[in-house]
Amino acid sequence: MRTRITRGYRRAVASLAVLGLVAAMAACGSSDDEAGGSSGAITAEGTDDGAELTLWTRAPLELQAKALVDAYNKTHKNQVKLTIVPNDDYVAKVGAAAGSGDLPDLFAADIVYVPNWTKAGLFSDMTERIGKLPYADKINQGHVKAGTYEGKEYVLPFVLDLSVIFWNKKLYKEAGLDPEKGPTTLDEFKSQALAVQKLNKPDTYGTYFGGNCGGCNVFTWFPMVWASGEEVMDAEGTKALLDGPAAQKVYSTWRDLQTAGAVHPGSKDETGATWVAAFQEGKIGVMPYPATLLKTAAKTVDVGVTPIPGVSGGQSTFVGGDGIGISKDSKKADQAWNFLSWLTSEDAQVGVLAANDSSVARSDLADNQYSSKDPRVAMINKVAGEPASKTPYAVNFQQAYNAPGSPWVTLLRNQVYGDAGALAADNSAVTGVLGQ
Amino acid sequence: MAPATTLTKPPEGATAPPGTPRNRKKRGGQALTGWAYAAPTALFVLIFFVAPILLVGQMSVSDWGLFAGNRGVNAPENFTDVLDDRLFWPAVWFTVKYTVVTTVILLGLALGLAMLVQEANRWTGFLRTSFLVPSALGLASASLLFYALYSPQSTPLEFLGIDSFLGTPNAALWSTVALIVWRFAGFYMLLLLVGLQGISGDVYEAARLDGANRWQTFRYVTIPLLKSSLALCAILCVTGSMLAFDQFYILTKGGPDNSTLTIVQLVYNFAFFGQNNLGKAAALSVLVLGALLVVNLIQFRGLREKES
């Protein structure tokens, strides 16, 4: 009896093992056969043959993603099926899909995570395809560089999100400031915020920042350092340079504003969920702000817009937003490329993105029929092409800066609220994570 | 005397003695029927409980990246990396502190509420419902509600004279405890109320006849007879607090300065926020599972001793 059971058990286990091996070999075979999903010669336009493509993006880009997909689906045989994923769930969803080989044909990623995701091999190589675009060198180079790994290009800009300074013209007028002139240096930023604070209006403050939000201050403080002619990291993204003279001036400016009571008290708890709300309610004089929200903020506030200044002038912006690529699992690379090729065309950049008040991702299209109507939009497009405007590159960016409780959050909180003398140690802690 | 091996034919209709072929066959059939009944549940347990635990066990000893998949064995490094992580011990300490604070306050308050509404009068129905209503709200929804209440943007709680509800370590802890007490006190009250109503009136009658005052009745009658219910509440509360995640994820994200980082949030951070390291996250999960087993075993043992 025991022998029979043992024999049966062994046979079952052996059968399962063989089945598993066969399945694994089949999986390997299929991925080899379909590598890249290319069906012939690579062209600049790709293939538009009525294929159904899947596209994932995160919720903050819903407006632009829907507009782009609707416009593409109306004018092409290929049809893109869009999936919007809540921001906080996006990394987990992409990770799970990557592990099981179920990534969609196309997916967007926060541009600061792109180096990590390209290194992990989630995207297909698009070097040759991008090279065939006649305007390849006009595409925002910050995004292209973030999507370049070991000399191969994997990602194109999907939607740009730039950081700029917004000010409330009504409060500026009341404070005796020139409502048409925003700050051009860090000291001017401080003095203008203090002037609004001196109005002593209930619930109204000089400025606001994400005091417990790493991503908010990467987005708004890094450009202050870049505009001053300094760097925040080395070129490899493995060493933090957050203790330079310009960075120290940025921290001391915010600390002075905090000490003077000119920073909204909500800033100290701010994890990023509501960091733009107070300005939109007309309670803030001047603050760094996401340019994509100009249309929304302008509904309730008379908004002035200027580039982020450095210590003694200069202009910069954080070229953020999302990059997009063809996934490693796509079997329709030529069709997916057709969408990406169209995405970088004038039809999409001007006809869809600029028409919806979003920044264009091509320098040759910065001046267009929509931006010319609003000088603020033209200014936002222009600053994206400034030499000091950048997309920072680091494989461990999320862990070092954006994650809750990251060493960068510790650094910035120490500089504004705590022990400012801990800068060298805090900077080393960021380097420690970047270099892991 | 018949030899022990002698077989005698059993009378007609009698049950076959143990060991006879007929009996073995019948018992085999019964066992098979039993297995057939249990099979769906067993399969369910296997797929949804045993398999995930085995997978977590495998992950915890593997170099398993969120994007990179399984890259082979990485033990005991996953565990040593967890123990060496700068946030591990602060998270352990905070989770223990939060568990103790929450359990003590919740059980005390729930017992008080249960005794308040134990005797039926014209307000009992209203009060019982009022205390229980928050339990009908999902924890994530309740956390979002409190996030809005605490937000300096809207300042609906400004009249309390508190500058910042989530901006300092202490404020963040007590603000979260307030949410949890509001959300769960009614639920534990209900469990204790059932226990209280299970105590016979005769016992109180006897205590009164013996001259016991209110405190003595509470101390020597109510509490001993309510021990099982209290122990159940304590087990649920300790387990829930040690696995706290939603409320902190929504209210504080572990801040300010990692002061409200719980163990489960650290698991989440290892897996999805920055490190993308499923192996390390699984190793910490295994440690949490072990700690929970130990704590629950101690609680169950305490409960059994008290019952005996």
Side-chain angles (χ1 to χ4, degrees):
Chain A
M1 181 80 172
R2 179 179 289 172
T3 316
R4 208 169 61 219
I5 289 173
T6 312
R7 204 175 288 156
Y9 174 72
R10 278 185 189 151
R11 200 173 292 158
V13 170
S15 309
L16 275 173
V18 170
L19 272 174
L21 271 174
V22 169
M25 286 165 73
C28 291
S30 68
S31 73
D32 283 344
D33 295 345
E34 302 284 346
S38 181
S39 59
I42 286 174
T43 60
E45 297 81 26
T47 306
D48 183 20
D49 60 359
E52 184 174 290
L53 300 163
T54 47
L55 190 159
W56 288 0
T57 187
R58 58 196 179 108
L61 302 184
E62 183 173 357
L63 184 78
Q64 293 91 341
K66 273 189 174 161
L68 285 165
V69 166
D70 284 349
Y72 179 81
N73 286 349
K74 271 182 200 157
T75 51
H76 291 76
K77 284 190 217 153
N78 289 343
Q79 292 295 295
V80 175
K81 203 175 148 220
L82 178 67
T83 302
I84 307 277
V85 183
N87 198 32
D88 287 346
D89 299 340
Y90 197 59
V91 175
K93 187 171 169 79
V94 169
S100 57
D102 291 326
L103 282 170
D105 297 301
L106 294 149
F107 70 103
D110 189 329
I111 198 69
V112 292
Y113 301 163
V114 161
N116 189 296
W117 292 15
T118 50
K119 189 185 173 196
L122 304 196
F123 296 107
S124 296
D125 180 8
M126 300 198 293
T127 316
E128 198 181 337
R129 296 180 198 275
I130 294 173
K132 287 194 181 297
L133 294 173
Y135 43 78
D137 58 332
K138 304 288 192 299
I139 297 170
N140 185 281
Q141 290 306 298
H143 273 225
V144 173
K145 190 185 160 225
T148 303
Y149 181 67
E150 293 184 338
K152 291 179 179 167
E153 294 169 349
Y154 294 90
V155 164
L156 284 171
F158 184 43
V159 175
L160 294 192
D161 192 9
L162 309 166
S163 48
V164 286
I165 297 277
F166 274 20
W167 74 89
N168 183 322
K169 290 185 181 177
K170 183 169 165 273
L171 288 176
Y172 265 43
K173 235 180 264 177
E174 289 175 30
L177 298 166
D178 181 351
E180 299 307 323
K181 196 167 172 295
T184 58
T185 65
L186 274 184
D187 281 336
E188 278 183 28
F189 169 70
K190 186 165 101 177
S191 63
Q192 291 175 13
L194 288 171
V196 173
Q197 189 62 36
K198 276 189 192 134
L199 288 171
N200 282 323
K201 286 183 76 163
D203 290 338
T204 302
Y205 293 86
T207 191
Y208 196 100
F209 81 109
N212 199 18
C213 167
C216 307
N217 300 302
V218 159
F219 189 56
T220 54
W221 291 11
F222 281 12
M224 295 177 176
V225 178
W226 294 329
S228 311
E230 292 183 20
E231 293 293 337
V232 292
M233 279 183 286
D234 64 352
E236 291 74 36
T238 52
K239 188 178 176 215
L241 304 170
L242 296 162
D243 54 354
Q248 290 190 40
K249 174 71 179 174
V250 173
Y251 311 140
S252 66
T253 301
W254 285 97
R255 196 178 181 101
D256 292 347
L257 286 165
Q258 170 67 24
T259 311
V263 181
H264 190 294
S267 293
K268 196 170 184 184
D269 308 355
E270 183 58 67
T271 56
T274 54
W275 74 288
V276 295
F279 184 88
Q280 204 173 318
E281 290 164 11
K283 295 175 179 172
I284 301 297
V286 55
M287 69 179 284
Y289 213 84
T292 38
L293 296 180
L294 173 61
K295 202 174 181 180
T296 318
K299 280 180 188 164
T300 49
V301 177
D302 189 4
V303 183
V305 181
T306 194
I308 293 181
V311 174
S312 48
Q315 298 185 340
S316 176
T317 186
F318 186 110
V319 186
D322 282 32
I324 187 167
I326 303 169
S327 83
K328 68 176 174 66
D329 301 328
S330 177
K331 308 267 189 292
K332 301 167 191 163
D334 286 337
Q335 290 85 347
W337 173 249
N338 182 259
F339 176 79
L340 293 185
S341 160
W342 170 83
L343 174 68
T344 51
S345 71
E346 190 169 347
D347 284 352
Q349 291 292 316
V350 178
V352 181
L353 288 171
N356 281 289
D357 288 329
S358 287
S359 303
V360 292
R362 272 174 53 185
S363 55
D364 56 330
L365 301 174
D367 290 320
N368 55 63
Q369 67 210 75
Y370 299 100
S371 66
S372 59
K373 282 183 194 160
D374 187 343
R376 296 175 301 186
V377 176
M379 192 285 296
I380 291 165
N381 281 343
K382 189 170 162 286
V383 73
E386 289 285 324
S389 300
K390 297 172 196 208
T391 304
Y393 179 97
V395 170
N396 290 334
F397 196 94
Q398 188 190 11
Q399 196 181 340
Y401 299 106
N402 281 30
S406 69
W408 161 243
V409 175
T410 305
L411 184 153
L412 74 93
R413 286 182 68 83
N414 272 338
Q415 290 308 305
V416 180
Y417 304 114
D419 176 15
L423 184 57
D426 289 344
N427 183 61
S428 299
V430 179
T431 298
V433 174
L434 287 173
Q436 274 176 6
Chain B
M1 197 181 193
T5 50
T6 304
L7 293 173
T8 50
K9 192 182 173 191
E12 223 33 59
T15 312
T20 59
R22 189 174 149 197
N23 183 268
R24 269 206 302 272
K25 197 174 171 189
K26 195 173 176 188
R27 278 202 309 161
Q30 279 177 341
L32 206 65
T33 314
W35 275 110
Y37 277 120
T41 310
L43 199 66
F44 186 84
V45 168
L46 209 65
I47 293 171
F48 293 104
F49 293 91
V50 178
I53 287 177
L54 291 178
L55 183 62
V56 167
Q58 191 204 349
M59 271 182 164
S60 71
V61 294
S62 307
D63 180 10
W64 200 311
L66 178 64
F67 301 121
N70 189 355
R71 291 169 293 203
V73 176
N74 193 38
E77 283 79 5
N78 279 344
F79 289 91
T80 52
D81 285 354
V82 166
L83 296 175
D84 288 342
D85 193 278
R86 71 187 171 99
L87 296 175
F88 175 72
W89 289 111
V92 169
W93 167 235
F94 176 74
T95 308
V96 169
K97 186 164 85 169
Y98 170 76
T99 302
V100 171
V101 167
T102 311
T103 306
V104 169
I105 294 180
L106 255 184
L107 291 195
L109 188 69
L111 183 57
L113 294 179
M115 293 180 73
L116 187 72
V117 298
Q118 184 186 5
E119 309 258 331
N121 61 43
R122 57 193 291 213
W123 292 106
T124 313
F126 172 74
L127 288 175
R128 283 180 188 173
T129 311
S130 307
F131 297 150
L132 196 61
V133 159
S135 307
L137 202 63
L139 184 53
S141 313
S143 304
L144 283 169
L145 175 71
F146 272 66
Y147 187 78
L149 288 174
Y150 292 149
S151 168
Q153 308 281 2
S154 49
T155 58
L157 293 182
E158 203 175 21
F159 65 92
L160 293 176
I162 297 170
D163 288 340
S164 170
F165 286 92
L166 303 167
T168 63
N170 264 335
L173 168 65
W174 291 107
S175 299
T176 313
V177 169
L179 152 71
I180 292 302
V181 167
W182 177 83
R183 167 67 176 73
F184 285 99
F187 173 70
Y188 290 117
M189 173 206 74
L190 194 68
L191 293 182
L192 294 177
L193 192 60
V194 172
L196 279 174
Q197 303 211 324
I199 302 173
S200 164
D202 296 346
V203 189
Y204 287 111
E205 184 75 32
R208 258 204 304 279
L209 287 175
D210 286 344
N213 60 26
R214 274 172 176 271
W215 166 249
Q216 286 168 324
T217 309
F218 174 72
R219 171 73 183 80
Y220 298 107
V221 177
T222 308
I223 292 292
L225 290 174
L226 204 58
K227 261 176 188 161
S228 301
S229 301
L230 280 169
L232 170 68
C233 289
I235 288 169
L236 288 176
C237 195
V238 166
T239 308
S241 303
M242 282 180 70
L243 298 177
F245 176 71
D246 310 36
Q247 60 270 42
F248 288 104
Y249 185 74
I250 291 170
L251 286 182
T252 67
K253 285 224 164 41
D257 305 328
N258 296 312
S259 62
T260 59
L261 189 73
T262 63
I263 285 287
V264 178
Q265 196 170 350
L266 194 58
V267 171
Y268 187 81
N269 288 0
F270 284 160
F272 303 120
F273 252 135
Q275 300 202 16
N276 302 332
N277 188 334
L278 295 183
K280 207 167 149 183
L284 182 52
S285 304
V286 167
L287 293 178
V288 173
L289 184 68
L292 261 178
L293 276 176
V294 170
V295 170
N296 284 166
L297 277 176
I298 292 169
Q299 285 182 306
F300 276 118
R301 176 164 290 185
L303 178 62
R304 268 205 303 276
E305 278 169 6
K306 278 167 192 163
E307 277 176 347
S308 63

